[in-house]
Amino acid sequence: MDIKRRVTLELRNRKPGEVKDLVLDNFSHDGKIGGLSLEFENLEYLSMVAINLVSLANLPKFPQLRKVELSDNPLSGGLEVLAERTPSLIQLNLSGNKIKDINTLQPLKKLPNLKSLDPFKCDVTILMSYRRSVFALLPQLTYLDGYDAEDKEAPDSDPEADRKCEELDEDVIDEEDEDEDVDGEDEEEDEAEEEEDDGVEDEKDEDDDGKEDEEEEVPQHGEKRK
């Protein structure tokens, strides 16, 4: 299947600017990127797994792109394209490609937000001191092949998604606090109204008692005052 046709199918009658996630996995083509344009301006996730990709040269600039999956392709270089055209990239999966040298990864130094890199199953991973060399080359990295520099495994969840969830939770908590404040004010108002009502009832009872006393002192018809 032609990659342009695949992109059209994945659009599903949406406009390119409405697409945030685009999956173009598992089909054979001429090895070049096609069908993508600057119109995908809001794209955040792009997956091109096992599509015989040999070059990234035709990748448009995607300022919002945060995660790219390129595993199981015969890519051997050209990563400077990612450095130039995906400035917000956080996660990059290059596992199962033809990357053989540490210096091939050097262009990724220009991606200040890159936190997770996965060249697993690439020839570069069998080099001596591979992990130490990559962390030294790319100091912005937090995880390499799913583990940090101290061999602690990365969480399964997406850090960026967790951050958004935390912000959402904070918003919900703020709304709950506001509701509690409003409820507290309502309760205080209700208590004040109850006290006012009690005061009015007490005054009414006193007035009623006074009237009863006065009525008792008034002589009945035909009786003399004492």
Side-chain angles (χ1 to χ4, degrees):
M1 179 187 293
D2 181 79
I3 192 169
K4 292 182 179 180
R5 184 182 175 191
R6 176 66 181 270
V7 171
T8 301
L9 290 174
E10 291 296 329
L11 280 173
R12 300 171 188 170
N13 297 320
R14 295 174 295 174
K15 294 180 180 179
E18 299 173 345
V19 177
K20 290 188 176 182
D21 300 339
L22 188 59
V23 178
L24 306 172
D25 296 347
N26 301 311
F27 72 98
S28 298
H29 71 303
D30 60 3
K32 299 180 181 179
I33 296 174
L36 298 177
S37 69
L38 296 174
E39 293 180 341
F40 290 86
E41 57 186 355
N42 294 311
L43 194 63
E44 296 181 1
Y45 172 77
L46 176 61
S47 182
M48 296 185 290
V49 174
I51 62 171
N52 195 37
L53 191 64
V54 296
S55 173
L56 299 172
N58 294 335
L59 183 72
K61 186 170 184 177
F62 294 135
Q64 304 298 325
L65 195 60
R66 288 169 169 77
K67 184 175 181 179
V68 174
E69 296 277 352
L70 297 174
S71 59
D72 299 325
N73 286 296
L75 285 170
S76 60
L79 301 184
E80 63 275 2
V81 175
L82 293 174
E84 296 167 359
R85 302 177 191 177
T86 61
S88 300
L89 195 62
I90 295 173
Q91 297 183 41
L92 175 61
N93 189 342
L94 294 171
S95 62
N97 278 271
K98 304 296 182 181
I99 297 172
K100 300 179 179 181
D101 188 76
I102 294 287
N103 290 330
T104 304
L105 303 173
Q106 188 166 1
L108 302 180
K109 291 179 67 174
K110 296 180 180 180
L111 293 170
N113 299 311
L114 186 64
K115 300 301 178 186
S116 178
L117 175 64
D118 189 354
F120 184 64
K121 294 183 179 180
C122 293
D123 291 343
V124 68
T125 61
I126 65 175
L127 298 177
M128 194 69 105
S129 303
Y130 151 71
R131 290 182 57 79
R132 186 170 68 245
S133 298
V134 174
F135 275 117
L137 179 66
L138 307 174
Q140 77 272 37
L141 277 186
T142 302
Y143 299 107
L144 178 62
D145 296 323
Y147 291 85
D148 66 12
E150 297 179 353
D151 289 332
K152 293 181 180 179
E153 189 173 4
D156 292 334
S157 56
D158 181 352
E160 183 69 12
D162 288 343
R163 182 184 65 79
K164 292 180 180 179
C165 289
E166 289 174 1
E167 292 176 353
L168 181 59
D169 290 341
E170 289 175 0
D171 293 339
V172 171
I173 292 172
D174 291 339
E175 290 178 0
E176 290 177 351
D177 290 340
E178 291 177 0
D179 291 340
E180 289 178 0
D181 292 339
V182 172
D183 291 341
E185 293 175 359
D186 291 341
E187 289 177 359
E188 291 177 359
E189 291 178 358
D190 291 341
E191 291 176 358
E193 290 177 359
E194 288 178 0
E195 291 176 357
E196 290 178 1
D197 292 341
D198 292 340
V200 172
E201 289 178 358
D202 292 341
E203 291 177 0
K204 184 177 179 181
D205 292 340
E206 291 176 359
D207 292 342
D208 291 341
D209 292 341
K211 289 180 180 179
E212 289 177 359
D213 293 340
E214 290 177 0
E215 289 175 356
E216 288 177 359
E217 294 177 359
V218 175
Q220 300 295 323
H221 180 67
E223 294 183 358
K224 293 181 180 180
R225 290 181 180 273
K226 294 182 181 179

